[in-house]
Amino acid sequence: MNTAGHSTAKAPRGLELTPFRGLRYDPDRVGGLASVTSPPYDVVVRPDGLHHLQSADPHNIVRLILPEADTPGARNAQAADTLRRWRAEGVLTADPEPCLYVYEQRDGDGMVQRGIIGTLRVSDPGERLVLPHEDVMPHIVADRAELMRATSANLEPLLLTYRGDEGDGRVASTAALIERTAGQRPLLATTTEDGFHHRLWSVTDPADLAAVQGELAGHQALIADGHHRWATYRRLRAEHPSPSPWDHGLVLLVDTARYPLRVRAIHRLLHSLPVADAVAALDGLFRVRRVDAPLAGAMHVLGGAASAGNAFLLAGDGAFHLVDRPDPDLLARTVPSDRPAAWRTLDATVLHATLLDRVWRVPDSPAHIAYIHDTAATVEKAERDGGTAVLMHPVREDVVRDLARQGVTMPRKSTSFGPKPASGLVLRALDL
């Protein structure tokens, strides 16, 4: 592994992004690059979505990131066998030399996001280099760890952000490199069925690599998407004596001073709580009003209410119910007081600490709550199953970053940053 730019001195270490030999699909061996890509594993939550991707191409990446078998052990063994077979058959081939990758996503509305893909040194929380903003669920970390151990691979990059305007004057180097590279012919270009255009380039020039590594060494990164996989990286690094390939993990780093991410909410589906019961339990504790509007209009009403305080939109009975203006005494009794005000006033905090724990008494477990990114899908499933959809308004990125810098994590699944990198464009095998 190329470790150019690393220092053996005892000085504090910053972000260390390392080139690697990417593992990529051979376009001539698959039906098309778009047909083998997938959203990240935790976005493909519905069986119909998984089966749709599987049927798109027999080599779709979901067969690695979400293998199907009767037991966890069988699933992971299947993924490992599939990866070995695809490499042996030339379906996946390694690039000839270590490199960093410039990655671009573009949609039909003029949004462009560009960043750098590489392997990042897995740092300890005490170094305050990679900042989480959400808690993780141990069983998911364990599941991802078993998959990574079995395949000996990082199958999809995490999404990390940094602020290039907070550096020491060298910020132009990475930005200029990305812009210059984006004017060249890419290694690959494809358009996925969601309408996003994807392009990927390799960067191998030693001077360019050193410039990127030097700039990033002066920054912190915020985990935008991939908390469970970062926790998995940390677990696997601890299991293997250093130095080892597990010292690094696959990431996409985006400078949000130049390319602001979109921040969306992640909604909750309460499986066993009918809307009528949810609304009845709020009597005297929150204001509840019916919103007579289609979904888009109801979400607009939610946005207006959220600008003035905690607000949620309930659905599942064919109507929308705006929940806002919580009783101050209720919040004082239920929301922990030992956290910053910005955390105590988060919608996700009030939802979990007050509504779920104390008012509705719904346990935060997969048997009782599902976390769904798509707003319409959340409403449709609630209506079909007789549960309650709790629709959320997104949190601003600056709030997320400020809390992370204070070492304060938000309730899990509080935000959805995007666009997320497509899985399947570049993988990392640890034996390369």
Side-chain angles (χ1 to χ4, degrees):
M1 179 179 295
N2 186 331
T3 56
H6 288 199
S7 171
T8 57
K10 296 297 184 181
R13 302 167 69 181
L15 294 176
E16 298 178 23
L17 193 68
T18 305
F20 71 106
R21 292 179 63 197
L23 197 61
R24 298 189 294 111
Y25 282 98
D26 181 345
D28 295 331
R29 302 298 300 271
V30 297
L33 290 175
S35 65
V36 295
T37 63
S38 164
Y41 80 98
D42 57 340
V43 179
V44 187
V45 294
R46 291 162 47 151
D48 54 343
L50 179 61
H51 298 151
H52 170 71
L53 291 165
Q54 289 173 336
S55 63
D57 189 286
H59 300 106
N60 190 283
I61 190 67
V62 294
R63 297 183 185 276
L64 299 181
I65 62 175
L66 289 172
E68 286 196 304
D70 292 337
T71 67
R75 288 196 296 270
N76 296 327
Q78 176 179 290
D81 179 70
T82 299
L83 179 57
R84 283 192 297 269
R85 186 174 71 255
W86 288 358
R87 292 179 66 181
E89 295 172 350
V91 174
L92 288 168
T93 60
D95 283 328
E97 59 183 318
C99 54
L100 299 177
Y101 297 86
V102 171
Y103 175 47
E104 175 191 273
Q105 293 163 278
R106 184 188 297 268
D107 70 6
D109 297 325
M111 189 286 304
V112 178
Q113 177 176 290
R114 294 177 180 145
I116 296 280
I117 294 176
T119 63
L120 187 70
R121 179 177 70 87
V122 180
S123 54
D124 293 320
E127 295 182 72
R128 306 290 298 149
L129 290 175
V130 177
L131 307 177
H133 69 267
E134 292 182 354
D135 296 324
V136 298
M137 294 172 276
H139 73 280
I140 295 181
V141 176
D143 175 75
R144 291 293 101 183
E146 291 292 345
L147 178 63
M148 287 190 203
R149 286 192 200 98
T151 58
S152 192
N154 300 152
L155 300 171
E156 46 187 347
L158 284 64
L159 175 59
L160 306 183
T161 73
Y162 70 101
R163 296 286 300 183
D165 58 357
E166 297 174 354
D168 56 4
R170 293 179 291 178
V171 295
S173 56
T174 299
L177 169 66
I178 289 175
E179 298 308 309
R180 185 173 73 248
T181 302
Q184 301 171 3
R185 183 174 180 174
L187 290 174
L188 65 83
T190 190
T191 301
T192 46
E193 65 177 6
D194 58 5
F196 271 88
H197 308 285
H198 307 263
R199 296 197 294 170
L200 191 77
W201 299 261
S202 63
V203 178
T204 58
D205 181 83
D208 289 336
L209 297 176
V212 172
Q213 292 169 324
E215 178 186 334
L216 291 176
H219 290 278
Q220 290 176 314
L222 174 73
I223 303 176
D225 186 66
H227 284 80
H228 290 92
R229 283 167 285 166
W230 181 255
T232 301
Y233 289 171
R234 290 186 49 236
R235 174 179 291 193
L236 294 172
R237 188 205 62 174
E239 293 176 359
H240 296 83
S242 186
S244 84
W246 298 101
D247 291 344
H248 293 75
L250 186 62
V251 305
L252 165 65
L253 271 163
V254 173
D255 175 2
T256 52
R258 191 171 184 88
Y259 298 106
L261 269 64
R262 295 172 175 172
V263 187
R264 291 188 170 93
I266 301 177
H267 310 296
R268 276 65 169 162
L269 173 63
L270 312 183
H271 297 302
S272 303
L273 181 66
V275 174
D277 293 349
V279 169
L282 299 175
D283 187 38
L285 302 177
F286 285 76
R287 183 175 68 170
V288 182
R289 292 177 290 160
R290 182 183 173 112
V291 178
D292 293 316
L295 177 57
M299 292 301 291
H300 180 74
V301 172
L302 172 62
S307 66
N310 297 120
F312 312 92
L313 198 66
L314 306 186
D317 61 350
F320 296 107
H321 309 269
L322 180 67
V323 176
D324 65 354
R325 295 190 183 179
D327 174 54
D329 291 337
L330 173 67
L331 297 184
R333 293 194 308 271
T334 57
V335 176
S337 60
D338 59 347
R339 303 286 185 91
W343 181 89
R344 297 197 305 271
T345 55
L346 287 170
D347 287 339
T349 297
V350 172
L351 173 61
H352 284 262
T354 303
L355 285 170
L356 294 176
D357 289 355
R358 303 292 288 273
V359 177
W360 293 330
R361 300 192 180 279
V362 175
D364 190 1
S365 69
H368 296 89
I369 302 177
Y371 293 82
I372 305 177
H373 294 74
D374 185 86
T375 308
T378 311
V379 175
E380 290 167 6
K381 187 164 179 58
E383 292 179 345
R384 186 169 62 247
D385 299 348
T388 293
V390 183
L391 307 181
M392 311 282 287
H393 186 70
V395 183
R396 299 192 319 273
E397 183 191 353
D398 60 319
V399 173
V400 176
R401 188 176 296 274
D402 287 346
L403 285 172
R405 284 176 169 164
Q406 296 177 61
V408 178
T409 54
M410 301 164 63
R412 62 188 180 89
K413 299 295 183 183
S414 294
T415 59
S416 176
F417 284 90
K420 305 177 191 302
S423 298
L425 296 181
V426 61
L427 294 67
R428 178 203 178 208
L430 273 69
D431 61 353
L432 292 173

